[in-house]
Amino acid sequence: MDPFLVLLHSVSTGLSNSELADLKFLCQGRLGKRKLERVQSGVDLFSLLLEQNELDREHPELLRELLASLRREDLLRLLDDFEAGAEGRAAPEEQDFCAAFDIVCDHVGKDWRRLARQLRVSDSKIDAIEAKHPRNLVEQVRESLRVWKSAARGHATVSHLVQALRACRLNLVADLIEEDQQARSLQLQNESGGGTVSFMAWDSDVSASRASS
């Protein structure tokens, strides 16, 4: 079975009638009143969103926004588990981003606005992120990183994120990311039989980054 469809089914069964009504209201601008009138369950709603290409397994951001609006941390954890499984199938570079984002979300806290500005996320987008995720600091941090990565596209790198953290004097967070990346690089190279060379290369990059901070 498709893991994403299994996720949607699990989320649907976890919704109360009032929560489904809230989600229908939030989706009015995406689906239209007539289609929403036929929605009797979460499965119905998610099916329409899939048909309209408003939601898919590669871009579950809308699902995260909807669940965050309900403050359903239990259902958000299901989404986290799905994305963690997807990470295992993703390219190493994408896995590096996910690991770095997790560290930033765990440690940056209220300094995320300063970091976002350093990453050239506009004040208007920062305001929109705060409005989208009120009283949910972790989602504010994660959304700001997604916005930066999406806008920067090919120019977004983990090393760029580390440099921005150091520019904000968030050196502890930068160190944690570099140590994690070094360990991940070493593990990857060990699996492919070239661990020593990769370790030395990454260690050199780490030293250069810290020297410039």
Side-chain angles (χ1 to χ4, degrees), residues 64 67-69 71-73 76 112 129-130 132-142:
R64 182 174 292 280
L67 296 179
S69 73
R71 301 180 190 176
R72 288 294 302 271
E73 298 296 331
L76 282 167
W112 73 268
I129 291 169
E130 290 180 313
K132 184 187 295 185
H133 303 290
R135 297 179 297 279
N136 193 330
L137 185 59
V138 171
E139 282 305 311
Q140 290 175 358
V141 179
R142 192 175 296 277

Side-chain angles (χ1 to χ4, degrees), residues 124-157:
S124 62
K125 289 184 178 179
I126 290 175
D127 291 342
I129 291 169
E130 290 180 313
K132 184 187 295 185
H133 303 290
R135 297 179 297 279
N136 193 330
L137 185 59
V138 171
E139 282 305 311
Q140 290 175 358
V141 179
R142 192 175 296 277
E143 182 72 12
S144 70
L145 294 173
R146 290 195 195 102
V147 168
W148 161 67
K149 185 172 179 288
S150 176
R153 297 187 180 181
H155 298 291
T157 63

Side-chain angles (χ1 to χ4, degrees), residues 184-195:
R184 294 168 63 82
S185 177
L186 179 59
Q187 180 182 5
L188 183 63
Q189 290 300 320
N190 280 341
E191 291 173 355
S192 63

Side-chain angles (χ1 to χ4, degrees), residues 45-148:
L45 179 63
F46 297 143
S47 296
L48 287 175
L49 291 171
L50 289 169
E51 290 173 6
Q52 297 295 119
N53 295 319
E54 294 284 351
L55 184 65
D56 64 64
R57 61 183 56 81
E58 301 298 330
H59 301 93
E61 292 85 0
L62 175 60
L63 179 60
R64 182 174 292 280
E65 292 174 18
L66 294 173
L67 296 179
S69 73
L70 299 177
R71 301 180 190 176
R72 288 294 302 271
E73 298 296 331
D74 56 331
L75 298 182
L76 282 167
R77 283 194 291 272
L78 292 179
L79 177 54
D80 290 338
D81 291 343
F82 167 78
E83 291 184 328
E87 286 173 23
R89 300 185 293 273
E93 181 181 352
E94 193 63 29
Q95 293 180 40
D96 289 345
F97 267 117
C98 291
F101 283 12
D102 286 344
I103 291 172
V104 172
C105 289
D106 288 342
H107 296 280
V108 166
K110 293 182 179 179
D111 287 322
W112 73 268
R113 299 170 188 81
R114 183 153 51 99
L115 176 61
R117 292 188 180 98
Q118 185 65 36
L119 292 169
R120 298 187 177 180
V121 177
S122 68
D123 285 342
S124 62
K125 289 184 178 179
I126 290 175
D127 291 342
I129 291 169
E130 290 180 313
K132 184 187 295 185
H133 303 290
R135 297 179 297 279
N136 193 330
L137 185 59
V138 171
E139 282 305 311
Q140 290 175 358
V141 179
R142 192 175 296 277
E143 182 72 12
S144 70
L145 294 173
R146 290 195 195 102
V147 168
W148 161 67

